[in-house]
Amino acid sequence: MAFSDMINKFFGKDQVANSKDVAKERLRLVLVHDRANALPEDVLLALREEMIKVITKYMDIDEGALDVGLTKSDTEIALVANIPVVRIKRNVG
Amino acid sequence: MGEVLVITSGKGGVGKTTSTANIGTGLAMLGKQVVMVDTDIGLRNLDVVLGLENRIVYDIVDVVRGNCRLKQALIKDKRFENMFLLPAAQTKDKTSVTEEHMKALAEQLKAEFDYVIIDCPAGIEHGFKNAIAGADHAIVVTTPEVSAVRDADRIIGLLEASGLESPKLIINRIRTKMVQAGDMMAVDDMMEILAVDLLGIVPDDDTIVISTNRGEPAVTDEDSKAGQAYRNITRRIIGEEVPLMSLEEKQGFLDKLKTLFGSK
């Protein structure tokens, strides 16, 4: 054990994260959940419309079957989109 | 035409009423015509924080019901003659005040005063919606705790959804030693999370307790650090550029030793 570790131990500081870093990380996660839950319906609709615009530049998709939504787990929130491709355009870009 | 500022937080107990009393008094000290409105019906407190509890005759419910004229319900402060309080009702039905009432009241008051400071109740229900109904700008009070920051984030979302864009933040009860030890979120940490403009920072300070005991806002106390923080905040409200106060504390021998050995 290095001398500085001993000093740290003496002052009650070992290798665990500072509690403020724990607070920040917990807050980050809880706010992602809170804001996702408070997200107005039209935000997801607008996102969906813009995604369709971008994707159809490159491929034909089945817009009716397109599914966009937020999937939540304890540790993260993911934006998940299932976009059935009908045909990929030739010679794009 | 004056300005209507609502002081809100979501979570209770973070210092809304204390901030209202100090900001209102601070603005009065700068010579502004100020009225503070307590909208926490049933849990009236701004009167005791200002030391005006013995002077109440009429309250906000009397005004909206037409039991008295607005002027009759306004209580003049005992120190500053340009400062008034419109108290909340303590026992009357709180549903008797509506958003329409609050908008009309705000219009009437800002025709007479430079600043109308509205003390909002905790929560996001009826009382919150009433308090923000007539406001031009919002000030959100929070403390460096996960619960208070979470509620502040929710409140900021609700304010923006109600058309009160870019609310300003007061971070209250900062304990410098804990921040230095890495055991309390620092101002930068909270700004990163909430991403709004900072109106001011207020240290955790015993003088707040003492001044509340006496019913004399700390902002009038030249020696109070929290009072200095509120004096800075009020000067920013009237448009002055005031740098954030330093909350650095003199390091004791043990702190120096810890710093020396790289322990935060």
Side-chain angles (χ1 to χ4, degrees):
Chain A
M1 187 186 280
F3 181 62
S4 65
D5 288 344
M6 281 164 69
I7 291 287
N8 286 346
K9 223 165 192 127
F10 177 72
F11 288 115
K13 298 274 165 184
D14 35 31
Q15 299 311 312
V16 295
N18 281 336
S19 73
K20 78 125 183 188
D21 293 328
V22 178
K24 254 182 102 172
E25 179 56 19
R26 290 178 60 222
L27 256 177
R28 191 189 63 75
L29 266 171
V30 83
L31 292 189
V32 171
H33 276 91
D34 286 356
R35 289 185 194 181
N37 288 332
L39 206 61
E41 190 68 17
D42 53 345
V43 172
L44 274 180
L45 283 176
L47 175 67
R48 185 191 151 101
E49 290 310 307
E50 285 192 53
M51 280 175 65
I52 290 173
K53 264 191 226 156
V54 173
I55 294 163
T56 50
K57 273 163 63 181
Y58 304 96
M59 51 194 78
D60 294 338
I61 57 172
D62 181 356
E63 290 183 24
L66 180 142
D67 181 31
V68 183
L70 293 167
T71 315
K72 295 156 203 166
S73 77
D74 285 351
T75 52
E76 63 175 17
I77 286 203
L79 178 67
V80 176
N82 188 358
I83 309 164
V85 177
V86 177
R87 185 176 45 161
I88 295 183
K89 292 181 181 175
R90 198 185 296 133
N91 301 330
V92 175
Chain B
M1 189 63 114
E3 215 176 308
V4 183
L5 307 176
V6 62
I7 314 246
T8 181
S9 70
K11 188 176 178 303
V14 298
K16 275 182 302 295
T17 301
T18 306
S19 292
T20 303
N22 280 286
I23 288 172
T25 308
L27 288 166
M29 287 162 69
L30 295 171
K32 303 294 179 188
Q33 294 289 324
V34 179
V35 62
M36 289 173 250
V37 182
D38 189 351
T39 62
D40 200 350
I41 294 167
L43 293 168
R44 160 166 100 194
N45 273 325
L46 186 53
D47 55 337
V48 283
V49 174
L50 289 167
L52 300 174
E53 66 274 19
N54 292 331
R55 304 183 176 205
I56 296 175
V57 181
Y58 297 109
D59 57 49
I60 190 168
V61 172
D62 291 318
V63 173
V64 302
R65 283 190 183 156
N67 296 346
C68 68
R69 285 176 292 111
L70 175 56
K71 280 236 164 83
Q72 289 177 293
L74 296 180
I75 300 160
K76 187 190 276 191
D77 184 64
K78 44 190 177 190
R79 290 141 297 207
F80 302 100
E81 59 173 25
N82 50 336
M83 178 170 124
F84 293 81
L85 168 69
L86 177 56
Q90 184 68 328
T91 51
K92 291 160 193 150
D93 180 13
K94 62 179 171 185
T95 57
S96 51
V97 180
T98 66
E99 292 178 44
E100 294 313 312
H101 287 137
M102 288 304 298
K103 282 182 196 163
L105 193 59
E107 284 303 314
Q108 259 183 291
L109 288 172
K110 70 179 177 180
E112 304 267 334
F113 292 91
D114 298 321
Y115 288 96
V116 181
I117 318 283
I118 297 179
D119 186 16
C120 178
I124 55 174
E125 306 303 328
H126 184 72
F128 167 74
K129 288 175 189 156
N130 275 347
I132 69 168
D136 300 315
H137 302 284
I139 295 170
V140 176
V141 183
T142 190
T143 61
E145 291 161 76
V146 281
S147 49
V149 177
R150 181 196 201 173
D151 289 1
D153 187 76
R154 178 100 172 96
I155 284 293
I156 291 165
L158 291 171
L159 289 169
E160 286 176 344
S162 311
L164 280 166
E165 300 290 335
S166 46
K168 301 255 194 295
L169 191 72
I170 291 178
I171 304 177
N172 193 16
R173 289 213 203 109
I174 299 172
R175 293 168 68 174
T176 308
K177 280 202 173 133
M178 290 193 75
V179 173
Q180 284 168 343
D183 279 326
M184 180 175 269
M185 283 183 281
V187 172
D188 291 347
D189 297 319
M190 297 179 64
M191 297 314 291
E192 184 190 323
I193 292 166
L194 292 173
V196 286
D197 291 340
L198 185 63
L199 180 62
I201 55 176
V202 183
D204 191 41
D205 188 349
D206 293 352
T207 62
I208 288 287
V209 178
I210 297 165
S211 66
T212 308
N213 288 345
R214 297 187 199 282
E216 295 163 359
V219 71
T220 59
D221 177 357
E222 281 295 322
D223 300 324
S224 162
K225 277 198 106 175
Q228 180 62 48
Y230 281 112
R231 285 193 291 278
N232 290 351
I233 286 169
T234 51
R235 284 170 57 202
R236 289 185 199 112
I237 289 173
I238 65 166
E240 288 181 33
E241 295 258 342
V242 185
L244 282 184
M245 70 188 287
S246 165
L247 299 183
E248 295 283 303
E249 282 180 21
K250 284 199 187 101
Q251 286 198 325
F253 173 72
L254 277 183
D255 298 312
K256 278 188 187 149
L257 200 62
K258 279 195 265 187
T259 312
L260 195 66
F261 288 104
S263 161
K264 280 206 281 180

